[in-house]
Amino acid sequence: MSVTRHDVTFDSDGDLCAGWLYLPDGVERPPVVVLGHGLGATREMRVAAFAERFAEAGIAALAFTHRNFGDSGGAYRQVVSLKEQLDDWEAALAYVKARPDLDGARVAVWGSSLGGGNAIVVASRHPELAAAVAQCPFTSGLATSLALGPVSSAKLLPAVVADLVAQARGAAPVLVPLAGETGAKALMAGPGVIEDCQSLMPTGETFRNEASARIVPTIALSRPGRAARKVQAPILFCVCDRDTVTPPGPTLRYARRAPRGEVRTYSASHFDIYVGEQFEAAVADQTEFLLRHLVR
């Protein structure tokens, strides 16, 4: 099915979130899925690839970028705020439900990595949703912090303190690398992580490898997976069994508590699922799941 992509914006607490709305040509008032990205990412980093495939199957898709990142608004660039991100999701849902060319009664959410945790929380707050997808989701701050390792965590600590002081003073944020090699001062560290992040960018575009350090304690204390037991909609967990960024163990335990949860596992690392064979496997599973629950 042919697809038309539209550049859109919507208001989130006075700032504009930018997005791409993919509409399947010739489908009157299609169902819609809202897609959100991971830590420090933007919709360009392969989120749009999933959105386009869903639209080709007849499901409209809104891939958006959180405030403070990419071409979205926000006063402090590269600042990750879980509260603001969840507010952005609420604004995105309100936007698609208000569009007369979409079926606001058939709405799903899709999130990957940190966005996967957001999707679980949002779905737990919206029993009216038709479905949800959480891909390699961030579900346990403790597990993610342990996976980062003590060396990287110790190297981040001075920047975290400095950024919290800057936040209290209303000063510019203290930024640290998002990605780095094992033991590096970075929010995600491991072999090839920088190259993996860059590989998700469109050809010719550069991955902005920095984010505010203040997010570290918030992530460490966050447990979005706990909300899975409150999700009334069908929810699909797509889990990478070699994931060292968002470890699979806690996610599989939380998934079992979801009343209508389904699980698909992939022999993949955290970033493998965005490209190549693992992308094809995951997007096929997700498309089948969304069609099953959104198209009637």
Side-chain angles (χ1 to χ4, degrees), residues 206-231:
T206 301
F207 165 59
R208 184 169 178 180
N209 188 24
E210 56 185 2
S212 56
R214 68 190 63 171
I215 192 60
V216 171
T218 302
I219 284 180
L221 296 173
S222 183
R223 305 288 189 277
R226 292 184 298 184
R229 61 185 176 84
K230 299 179 182 178
V231 177

Side-chain angles (χ1 to χ4, degrees), residues 33-37 47-48 50-51 54 60-65 89 108-111:
V33 56
V34 174
L35 296 92
H37 56 77
V47 173
F50 287 87
F54 299 151
L62 172 66
F64 76 95
T65 299
W89 281 80
V109 292
W110 179 104

Side-chain angles (χ1 to χ4, degrees), residues 37-48:
H37 56 77
L39 176 69
T42 61
R43 66 187 182 280
E44 289 87 351
M45 297 177 72
R46 296 293 294 174
V47 173

Side-chain angles (χ1 to χ4, degrees), residues 76-194:
Y76 292 109
R77 307 311 297 169
Q78 303 302 111
V79 171
V80 182
S81 165
L82 294 186
K83 179 184 181 304
E84 287 188 359
Q85 288 192 0
L86 289 171
D87 289 344
D88 294 346
W89 281 80
E90 294 290 342
L93 285 176
Y95 172 76
V96 297
K97 289 179 179 180
R99 284 187 65 109
D101 55 344
L102 301 174
D103 187 346
R106 293 186 291 162
V107 180
V109 292
W110 179 104
S112 192
S113 195
L114 189 66
N118 287 338
I120 296 169
V121 173
V122 170
S124 75
R125 296 175 178 177
H126 287 272
E128 78 280 5
L129 289 175
V133 177
Q135 174 176 281
C136 54
F138 165 68
T139 56
S140 167
L142 176 60
T144 293
S145 298
L146 291 173
L148 180 63
V151 176
S152 291
S153 297
K155 289 179 179 179
L156 285 170
L157 185 58
V160 171
V161 173
D163 197 26
L164 291 173
V165 171
Q167 182 181 22
R169 293 177 174 174
V174 176
L175 303 180
V176 296
L178 272 164
E181 293 300 308
T182 303
K185 176 185 174 181
L187 300 179
M188 298 182 291
V193 171
I194 296 177

